[in-house]
Amino acid sequence: VNIDMRRFPDIADRLARHVARTDRYFLDMIDVGISTGEIRVEDRALAAEFLRIVLTGLTDAGSWSANRRSIDALDALMHGRLIRPI
């Protein structure tokens, strides 16, 4: 969406409202994580950027199978199975 906003300034206002609503939804989700102790308050901005990157990547996956692999990779990362400290 942000790329389209830069490419097509005439639709930027309509897309900006959509982006703001979407951002609010995910920031609210992060705030729930903060209130439950799953996310540290000082990591709020990092958590928001992480969600943006993940969601942008998932929208560009290209196919259902690629999207499924992306979700599986994210799940493995979050559960410590994809990258392990050495």
Side-chain angles (χ1 to χ4, degrees):
V1 171
N2 289 330
I3 292 169
D4 290 334
M5 290 172 69
R6 288 190 293 269
R7 273 194 274 177
F8 305 105
D10 54 316
I11 62 170
D13 286 338
R14 286 182 282 167
L15 289 175
R17 287 191 299 270
H18 168 73
V19 168
R21 282 193 307 267
T22 302
D23 279 355
R24 183 74 258 153
Y25 174 80
F26 290 110
L27 291 174
D28 288 347
M29 188 184 328
I30 290 166
D31 288 342
V32 169
I34 290 170
S35 71
T36 62
E38 296 169 280
I39 300 170
R40 296 181 307 169
V41 68
E42 58 269 20
D43 289 335
R44 187 176 193 267
L46 290 174
E49 291 310 318
F50 178 76
L51 274 178
R52 283 186 187 100
I53 285 172
V54 168
L55 294 172
T56 300
L58 288 175
T59 60
D60 289 335
S63 70
W64 287 111
S65 60
N67 191 272
R68 180 73 256 168
R69 283 192 308 275
S70 297
I71 292 169
D72 291 344
L74 181 59
D75 184 68
L77 176 68
M78 298 296 288
H79 289 97
R81 296 186 313 267
L82 183 62
I83 299 171
R84 293 176 187 84
I86 55 171

